[in-house]
Amino acid sequence: MFQPSAKHANQAVVGQAPELSVIIPCFNEQKRIIPSIDAIVQYLNERGRSWELIISDDGSTDQTVSLIEAQNYPNLTIIKSSSNHGKGHAVRAGIIAAKGNFILFTDADNATPITELNKLLPSLEQGNYDLAIGSRAKQLLQTKERRLSRCVMSAGLRLIVEHGLKLNIHDSQCGFKLFHRAVAKHLAQVQTINGFAFDLELLVIADIFGYQTNEIPVEWIDVADSKVHPIRDAYQFLRDIMIIQINHWRGRYPSSSQKKTKAKSQQSGQWFA
């Protein structure tokens, strides 16, 4: 386990919010959660700024929680759910608990390395955007070895998202998204989806309220033992898209008083799940 030196210890000031909150939603991740946390803790310590790490466990039935607790990580909070509700539920719980000025959620498999935060953070620090999201689109276009089933699912879902929800985002499902704290808290209050499409719902809500989104290409590793099941998750995704659309029609996502503007983004022309 990585042991931070005194030189790299978190310099959070008592009574002040940390600069960054990192949320990792997880469910039965005992095989890979510790290496992921080690990498994230090392990176955060080396940045030399205040941070907190929130593990939002979604009712794991394996040794995920006990393994994390045994490590005695600094500045780490574990949120424990009594049962499995879905990734969206876990992320929402993490956002509610987060205290950082910026809030990032990232996947437990560290498929997008935490160092990619360096690409997202300037957009928010400079005040040009309200949220910055990682995009695997450009990289995946250059990936020759990719499961055909996921390619077909991705292409089909992109058409539905683009034409059905009118959302100009090319990779809604990359598990690497950064928010200003106030934006994250607001979106979490309105969010309803607990499952696979929760991040799509967050982006739809952000678009409705006129929040500015920057979509930024990031590195991504197709980690073995992915929990994405093309047929099952495609069905759930379609169902959730219908729920999002019905919520919108019924005014479940009330628009803000500010004039809605189109989100600016660095787009690569493709969208992938």
Side-chain angles (χ1 to χ4, degrees):
M1 184 191 76
F2 170 77
Q3 294 289 347
S5 65
K7 178 180 178 181
H8 292 143
N10 188 347
Q11 299 299 315
V13 178
V14 175
Q16 292 186 3
E19 178 196 44
L20 176 69
S21 297
V22 177
I23 300 165
I24 305 178
C26 64
F27 174 69
N28 289 347
E29 292 286 358
Q30 65 179 18
K31 294 182 179 180
R32 51 191 182 184
I33 190 64
I34 299 302
S36 294
I37 295 179
D38 283 347
I40 291 171
V41 168
Q42 180 169 357
Y43 167 80
L44 294 175
N45 278 323
E46 289 175 349
R47 290 185 73 244
R49 300 182 185 180
S50 60
W51 56 270
E52 65 173 350
L53 180 59
I54 298 173
I55 307 298
S56 186
D57 183 76
D58 193 34
S60 291
T61 56
D62 64 359
Q63 300 302 309
T64 297
V65 172
S66 59
L67 285 173
I68 298 171
E69 290 175 334
Q71 304 301 312
N72 294 317
Y73 289 105
N75 317 307
L76 184 145
T77 300
I78 303 176
I79 300 174
K80 304 175 187 178
S81 175
S82 58
S83 59
N84 179 245
H85 297 282
K87 185 178 178 182
H89 182 274
V91 169
R92 181 165 58 246
I95 290 175
I96 292 171
K99 301 176 182 177
N101 295 321
F102 302 102
I103 298 175
L104 172 78
F105 71 77
T106 184
D107 288 338
D109 60 8
N110 205 28
T112 299
I114 186 63
T115 52
E116 295 298 273
L117 178 63
N118 296 335
K119 297 178 180 178
L120 272 60
L121 195 55
S123 292
L124 272 61
E125 288 182 323
Q126 293 166 10
N128 297 324
Y129 295 93
D130 302 296
L131 58 154
I133 64 173
S135 175
R136 305 158 295 174
K138 183 176 181 180
Q139 179 178 335
L140 288 172
L141 282 173
Q142 301 169 349
T143 301
K144 297 180 179 180
E145 296 181 2
R146 190 166 187 252
R147 284 166 291 182
L148 178 61
S149 58
R150 288 197 67 177
C151 290
V152 173
M153 180 185 76
S154 298
L157 295 180
R158 181 187 186 273
L159 289 174
I160 294 172
V161 169
E162 181 179 4
H163 297 288
L165 296 176
K166 309 297 183 183
L167 187 65
N168 195 22
I169 295 291
H170 295 135
D171 184 4
S172 66
Q173 301 310 112
C174 180
F176 199 78
K177 294 180 171 66
L178 179 70
F179 307 80
H180 281 292
R181 176 173 57 190
V183 174
K185 301 284 188 181
H186 179 203
L187 297 180
Q189 288 179 349
V190 184
Q191 176 196 350
T192 66
I193 301 294
N194 287 333
F196 184 67
F198 84 95
D199 10 16
L200 173 59
E201 185 187 33
L202 288 178
L203 295 175
V204 168
I205 298 169
D207 188 58
I208 290 171
F209 278 86
Y211 289 129
Q212 296 295 291
T213 301
N214 195 10
E215 186 174 11
I216 301 173
V218 293
E219 291 184 19
W220 176 77
I221 303 168
D222 193 359
V223 178
D225 300 322
S226 171
K227 293 184 177 180
V228 175
H229 188 286
I231 296 177
R232 179 198 65 204
D233 290 333
Y235 170 78
Q236 181 178 340
F237 198 81
L238 290 172
R239 183 196 64 187
D240 287 346
I241 286 176
M242 292 180 63
I243 293 173
I244 292 169
Q245 188 64 270
I246 291 171
N247 284 342
H248 193 5
W249 289 336
R250 291 180 174 177
R252 180 64 179 80
Y253 314 132
S255 59
S256 66
S257 57
Q258 70 182 103
K259 182 179 179 180
K260 181 179 173 180
T261 56
K262 282 293 181 181
K264 297 178 250 181
S265 61
Q266 299 175 7
Q267 296 166 343
S268 56
Q270 294 293 330
W271 181 92
F272 294 89

